Amino acid sequence: MPDQILSEMAIFESPDFDAHEQVVFACDPAAGLRAIIAIHDTTLGPALGGCRIWKYTSEGAAVRDALRLSAGMSHKAALAGLDLGGGKAVIMADSRTEKTPAMMRAFGRTVERLAGRYITAEDVGCAVADMDAVGEETEHVAGVSGGAGDPSPFTARGVFLSMQEAVKRRLGRSLEGVRVSVKGLGNVGEQLCRQLHAAGAEIVVSDIRADAVAAAQADLGCGSVPVEEAAFIECDVFAPCALGAELNAESIPKIRAGIVCGAANNLLSTPADDARVAEAGILYCPDYLVNAGGLISVARRTLSLSEAQVNAKVDEIPATLGRIIDEAAATGKPTGAVADAHARARFRG
Ligand code: NAD
């Protein structure tokens, strides 16, 4: 039986395993903690990445999430020009019913044992108060009270500037009058809509929260569509700001927007969808590049960045995107592959 369990996990052979430096399984029965911390690569610096608290259906699903998310963080930091590595933690628990300060402190002790190789922060299921509890046990934590604050304005700005760049290159125009479908009106999507509105874009919104849609209609005069239609309406730009995996074999042939540029992570459902979206004539703006503003702001304390330096790094995102679009056009490679190659060149040389 133990052999069977181990072979089912098959971590080193898993397609999500990318020569990760270290994967830590942490357990504290008294605190109800079962966590996995994946440190992908620390060539550029300590591995910074959030802690996700999620009721995974299996241990394998939790390991896969930690492996994928941590590798994503290495790529995101590298392409944003940050001297940081990539890591991510997952805690296997229901954040609403099982999370306790004792659990977060136990997680903090695990982070402390890694002696700064991994720096944690908020992710799904975590709030500032949780990071404060973690901070009682370790200093290797970003996102505590009085720290960098809400990263979403920086994320929204990076997405907005990237969209401006993509529209300029693809359509040869400003955002004025450009029709954008924004799916997801949370912290990032709502602020993105405000910036698009100020730039004169025609906005069509969608969210599973009717109140958020009503507010966008009332405040900004946005149109709206049901969530299941958001990706497929006639528009210039589709901006997914809710969930990942929006670009897949089924959705891509139905997308009518010429540009996809949004905040959601892991927009490509599988690696093959990178080429698929390019072949469909759609300009995909790599998610981890355009949404890096939040990481840049969270990294502020770790890298001792001034406010001006944080803003300057966010403002560099569209120029990086422009280079990737140009290289993809010149080489015939998909934009995601070009972005990956640039990021990996920084940490895997
Ligand atoms: P959020 O939780 O504040 O907002 C998500 C919104 O999406 C909510 O309004 C929710 O109701 C809506 N939503 C959920 N499922 C939906 C569906 N099926 N269809 C339509 N709407 C749906 O999250 P956020 O902080 O705004 O982040 C948005 C996305 O960007 C997430 O995927 C997040 O991982 C990613 N991201 C966020 C940041 C950041 O700084 N907040 C940074 C990088 C990436």
Side-chain angles (χ1 to χ4, degrees):
M1 189 63 174
D3 284 345
Q4 188 190 349
I5 290 169
L6 284 177
S7 78
E8 275 173 13
M9 296 284 283
I11 293 171
F12 290 126
E13 280 76 40
S14 143
D16 300 312
F17 185 75
D18 180 37
H20 286 65
E21 284 179 15
Q22 192 175 6
V23 181
V24 175
F25 290 78
C27 183
D28 187 322
L33 177 75
R34 286 195 303 159
I36 299 158
I37 300 177
I39 296 178
H40 177 246
D41 194 291
T42 59
T43 305
L44 295 174
L48 176 61
C51 169
R52 180 164 294 191
I53 305 182
W54 193 256
K55 192 78 179 166
Y56 289 96
T57 49
S58 69
E59 286 177 26
V63 172
R64 264 195 304 281
D65 220 18
L67 292 176
R68 286 193 64 191
L69 292 166
S70 59
M73 293 308 294
S74 295
H75 288 76
K76 187 182 291 204
L79 212 50
L82 300 172
D83 289 335
L84 287 173
K88 202 89 181 185
V90 301
I91 295 179
M92 299 176 65
D94 185 325
S95 64
R96 284 163 306 169
T97 57
E98 295 173 315
K99 182 175 72 177
T100 61
M103 178 188 282
M104 298 315 297
R105 284 197 302 275
F107 173 66
R109 289 193 290 279
T110 303
V111 172
E112 177 62 16
R113 276 181 222 118
L114 291 167
R117 283 173 47 70
Y118 169 64
I119 300 166
T120 198
E122 288 96 345
D123 194 69
V124 176
C126 269
V128 172
D130 301 315
M131 289 302 120
D132 287 344
V134 171
E136 289 176 28
E137 304 286 348
T138 182
E139 63 178 24
H140 306 300
V141 53
V144 292
S145 299
D150 180 9
S152 57
F154 298 90
T155 305
R157 178 162 172 78
V159 174
F160 172 78
L161 294 173
S162 298
M163 200 182 290
Q164 210 171 31
E165 183 70 23
V167 165
K168 190 174 80 184
R169 279 162 188 272
R170 179 53 74 99
L171 305 176
R173 57 188 286 193
S174 75
L175 283 169
E176 182 151 17
V178 164
R179 188 168 154 90
V180 185
S181 171
V182 178
K183 181 175 181 180
L185 296 169
N187 293 319
V188 179
E190 195 264 345
Q191 294 176 78
L192 175 63
C193 284
R194 290 193 182 280
Q195 294 177 48
L196 288 170
H197 178 71
E202 184 194 336
I203 312 165
V204 181
V205 298
S206 51
D207 196 291
I208 49 173
R209 292 187 299 126
D211 59 332
V213 172
Q217 286 173 314
D219 295 354
L220 305 174
C222 299
S224 75
V225 285
V227 288
E228 54 282 359
E229 288 173 27
F232 311 123
I233 63 168
E234 193 72 56
C235 63
D236 300 300
V237 184
F238 172 43
C241 296
L243 308 171
E246 289 279 5
L247 300 175
N248 54 58
E250 202 189 319
S251 70
I252 290 169
K254 295 191 281 180
I255 294 175
R256 283 185 276 173
I259 298 167
V260 174
C261 180
N265 283 309
N266 299 329
L267 282 175
L268 300 171
S269 184
T270 67
D273 294 314
D274 191 20
R276 196 173 274 131
V277 77
E279 280 157 20
I282 299 166
L283 171 56
Y284 159 62
C285 302
D287 48 15
Y288 65 80
L289 168 62
V290 306
N291 74 17
L295 172 65
I296 294 169
S297 92
V298 169
R300 183 173 172 177
R301 195 171 72 149
T302 305
L303 297 177
S304 304
L305 300 175
S306 67
E307 193 180 335
Q309 285 171 315
V310 168
N311 288 327
K313 284 214 175 287
V314 175
D315 289 353
E316 279 169 25
I317 292 175
T320 306
L321 175 65
R323 285 195 293 277
I324 285 168
I325 293 172
D326 287 348
E327 188 175 326
T331 60
K333 290 181 185 158
T335 46
V338 174
D340 286 355
H342 278 273
R344 293 178 83 83
R346 277 203 75 212
F347 61 86
R348 295 256 160 109

